[in-house]
Amino acid sequence: MKIICIGRNYAAHIRELNNAIPDEPVIFIKPDSAVLRNNAPFFIPDFTTDVHHEVELIVKICKTGKSIPQQFAHSYYQEIGLGIDFTARDLQNKLKEKGLPWEKAKGFDHSAVIGKFISKEGLDLNHLDFSLQKNGEVVQSGNTEQMIHNIDAIIAHVSQYFMLKIGDLIFTGTPEGVGAVKPGDELRGFIGDRNMFRCAVK
Ligand code: ZN
């Protein structure tokens, strides 16, 4: 199982980090050791003092495919979920400055919070509200209509490079409002008003 993540997919988030709007999706991968499930706590690793939350809609792949045409992409997923792409922002900025890959800042152990999954049936995936609360206050909220590349476009693009397999997960990018977490924080993610995960920061 692999986790494919899309960077810079929401214009307001691109602006808050002073990045350029990409003409095709920015892709990176987290290893399976990054998974943090079942509302388990997140321990801030020693190598960073600036871990940011990035709440993201997650797509779970249900069929193997390569070079999937966009018009057929919808048949490769039945469920969506919500999670956090934890990012060691200080480390990422150092790596970016040197033009090096982001893996240490993005793919470290337990950096991928994964909540429960729900059927996509009956959901309007192009107009879906989601949000992240930190200590009871909304810190990030987005709607999938703000995505630069929608789910089907992401699947079409990603699958040109990486064969998608059953159980693979795609993190579809974060809206604005990313910020640092500290020990004692509690994060809760929502699709609409449905609670998808909680995560205590230690
Ligand atoms: Zn992200």
Side-chain angles (χ1 to χ4, degrees), residues 5 7 13 28-31 34 54 56 85-89 91-92 95 102-108 111-112:
C5 302
H13 169 62
F28 55 94
I29 287 185
K30 292 183 190 255
E54 296 190 355
E56 309 197 6
D85 164 22
F86 273 128
T87 304
R89 194 71 71 199
L91 192 50
Q92 187 195 28
L95 294 166
W102 299 350
E103 263 65 13
K104 288 198 288 188
K106 286 283 200 180
F108 58 85
S111 61

Side-chain angles (χ1 to χ4, degrees), residues 11-12 52 79 92 120:
H52 279 199
E79 292 183 308
Q92 187 195 28
K120 70 174 184 179

